[in-house]
Each structure stands twice: as structure tokens, then as C-alpha cells.
Amino acid sequence: MKMHLLILTLLLQLQAIVIPTTLALSICKNSCGNTPINYPFGLEDGCGAPQFRNMLNCTTDLFFQTPSGSYKVQSIDYNKNTMVIYDPEMSTCSILQPHHDFLMTEVQTAIIPPSQDTVFVLLNCSIDSPVLNHYKYLCFNFQGHTCDELYGSCNAFRVFHLSTTNSSPPCCFTSYNTVKFMSMNILDCTHYTSVFDTGKLRGVGPLDWVYGIKLSFSVPDVGCGACEKSGGTCGFDTDSQGFMCLCSSAANSTRDCAGGSEISSGQKIVPWTHCSQLLVSFLVVVTGLIKVS
């Protein structure tokens, strides 16, 4: 009877051990299709950084969500901290789309705004447009390109060139801040398009521009590197939104997943060396008891 009680006690001690994170499966998805999902982004609530909460949605493809819609993510460069998205409702050199606004939340504008090498092009503007009058300083020269070049080169925009007898309707090369503070109705321009990597487009015709919106994000420095080195996944507490190193479905640390780090349940992660020692002790005791019996 005493032998049975001793064996049961040792088994309970082993069962109470929290398995180290390095042996546990990640509780956060690390990809959507062919696109890797790394910090500061996350697909599940509690994964990634809280500032980027609910920004991405993974269905058949990865989408970036804003108040004006969902935009397909074409690529994420974690070395350069950039993300390229595509607005399916904006006009391009090959297709003319209806009137449309591109909107972001204040948080998105602060931490993942359109990059400085992204240019918004307001097309077919009226002569009364504010960017052609009181706010004309918002329009700038874009690598020597002109409205006539756009209207003459692109099949989609050629209708503007043909619909006027004297001159082409004005357009405006501008930054995101313009469309952020003024809607297309206020701007009095019927269409817009957007191109990025504009520093490489001098002397390049509109047919060869890269259409889309490049976003530039900042990565919060909250000790994520130490968490990942310990085998954890960087995330946050969904209530307090404080940093959390996700170690397993049952054990999370406020720092990393190394031995003795405190976890959300108030327990401590027991190092695997301790587990090994207990296991060896268990086997020694059991072997001794068997010999005695």
C-alpha cells in the first residue's frame, strides 16, 4: 500500500509540471496562404501587438481592414517594415472605377500610414476643386509627369482627354493627408489612383507604374525578441492590452518562456531539467521498491 501511495504522489508531481513552451505548438497562426504573419501583426485576438488588433483578416486571402473596406495584402516586408495593399475599387491605367474614398482610422494613420513614396493621383478634377484654388499647394510635381501624359497614355483615362476640346481636365498628384482630410466629394475629382515606389518612376510611363498603396508600419519595442528566443510567441493580454509572451494554451509569461517566468495563471513554468530530475527520481524509487518487494 505504501509503495502505491509513493508512486501516486510522484505521478501527481509530474502531472503538475507545465511543459515548456519550446515543446508546445504555437497558439497563433504564423501565415495566411503564402504570406507570413509575424509580430506586430496577428490574426487571432491576443496575438501580435494590441495597436494592430483586428487589422488583418484571413479568409481565402489576407486582407487589411479599414473603415472604407477590406484591401488585399499583396506583400509584407518585415525587414523594411512595409506592407503593400491593393484597393480593388480604385482606378488604374487599365480600368476606370466609380467614385471611391480611401479611409483609415486615427490609430492606423498613426502607426501604419501610407509611405512617403506612395502618391495619390486625383483625376478629372473640376476647375473649382479646392486643390486647384485655395489648397493648390497640396499638389506637387511627381517625377516630371503630367495630367496630359496620364490621359494620353492610359486607355482607362483617355476618356477625359477626348471629352474636352481645349485642354485636358486638371489632375493632382498629392499625399495621403489630402484624401485623409477631404473626401472625393469635397475635392471635386471624379476618380483617384495610387502608385508607390515613386522614386523609381522618373522617365517611366504610366503603363509601367506599380499601382497600389504601400503602408509603412512601426514595431513596438516591448521585449518581443527575448520572448521569441525562449520559444514563445509575442502577444498581449486582451483585457489590459499589456505585453504577453504566449508560451502555450495554458501558460503565458509577462517576459519570456524561460524557467521560472511568471505566467497568467499565477503558476511558474518549471524548467525541463527539473522535470527530468523528477522523472529520474521516480524511476529510481520505483526500481528500488521493486527490488525490495
Side-chain angles (χ1 to χ4, degrees):
M1 179 63 70
K2 291 182 178 180
M3 182 178 71
H4 291 164
L5 289 175
L6 181 58
I7 292 174
L8 179 60
T9 300
L10 289 171
L11 285 174
L12 289 174
Q13 289 180 359
L14 286 171
Q15 187 177 5
I17 293 175
V18 179
I19 297 176
T21 303
T22 52
L23 301 180
L25 295 176
S26 173
I27 61 176
C28 295
K29 292 181 181 178
N30 55 18
S31 67
C32 178
N34 295 324
T35 305
I37 306 298
N38 300 332
Y39 186 83
F41 301 110
L43 296 176
E44 298 89 351
D45 198 17
C47 297
Q51 300 94 319
F52 294 82
R53 194 175 192 175
N54 300 324
M55 283 193 190
L56 296 182
N57 177 40
C58 180
T59 52
T60 54
D61 293 302
L62 185 63
F63 291 90
F64 179 75
Q65 302 182 120
T66 80
S68 58
S70 295
Y71 304 94
K72 185 175 179 180
V73 176
Q74 294 184 315
S75 63
I76 303 178
D77 189 327
Y78 292 98
N79 293 321
K80 297 181 179 180
N81 292 350
T82 58
M83 173 191 293
V84 175
I85 63 175
Y86 185 76
D87 182 356
E89 297 186 23
M90 78 175 182
S91 299
T92 67
C93 205
S94 58
I95 184 171
L96 191 65
Q97 300 275 39
H99 188 343
H100 177 65
D101 285 310
F102 175 73
L103 302 174
M104 302 178 74
T105 66
E106 291 185 5
V107 171
Q108 290 172 333
T109 300
I111 65 174
I112 185 169
S115 61
Q116 293 188 353
D117 64 347
T118 294
V119 169
F120 287 78
V121 187
L122 306 176
L123 301 164
N124 194 32
C125 302
S126 77
I127 59 174
D128 297 322
S129 171
V131 292
L132 299 177
N133 295 279
H134 186 66
Y135 297 104
K136 60 183 179 181
Y137 63 88
L138 295 175
C139 301
F140 49 75
N141 180 282
F142 164 48
Q143 300 293 349
H145 297 295
T146 66
C147 300
D148 282 338
E149 181 186 6
L150 268 175
Y151 298 148
S153 301
C154 300
N155 289 331
F157 307 150
R158 198 161 290 159
V159 61
F160 305 137
H161 191 67
L162 298 175
S163 61
T164 54
T165 54
N166 296 325
S167 61
S168 301
C171 70
C172 173
F173 302 105
T174 189
S175 68
Y176 169 68
N177 284 334
T178 301
V179 298
K180 170 188 173 183
F181 292 109
M182 290 185 282
S183 68
M184 293 296 290
N185 283 333
I186 295 175
L187 290 167
D188 204 9
C189 303
T190 61
H191 302 78
Y192 97 92
T193 190
S194 180
V195 295
F196 61 93
D197 287 345
T198 53
K200 304 174 183 178
L201 298 183
R202 178 171 292 278
V204 178
L207 287 172
D208 296 318
W209 292 357
V210 184
Y211 293 88
I213 302 170
K214 183 194 289 185
L215 306 176
S216 179
F217 59 87
S218 55
V219 180
D221 184 8
V222 290
C224 181
C227 170
E228 291 180 337
K229 286 181 180 178
S230 71
T233 301
C234 301
F236 61 93
D237 183 274
T238 55
D239 293 326
S240 67
Q241 297 197 20
F243 174 77
M244 190 70 68
C245 187
L246 307 178
C247 301
S248 73
S249 59
N252 299 320
S253 168
T254 55
R255 297 185 299 276
D256 54 51
C257 299
S261 296
E262 294 184 359
I263 59 178
S264 57
S265 61
Q267 299 172 310
K268 287 185 178 294
I269 300 174
V270 180
W272 183 244
T273 53
H274 293 182
C275 179
S276 300
Q277 291 170 2
L278 281 174
L279 183 58
V280 170
S281 300
F282 170 74
L283 293 174
V284 169
V285 171
V286 171
T287 302
L289 290 173
I290 291 175
K291 288 181 178 179
V292 171
S293 61

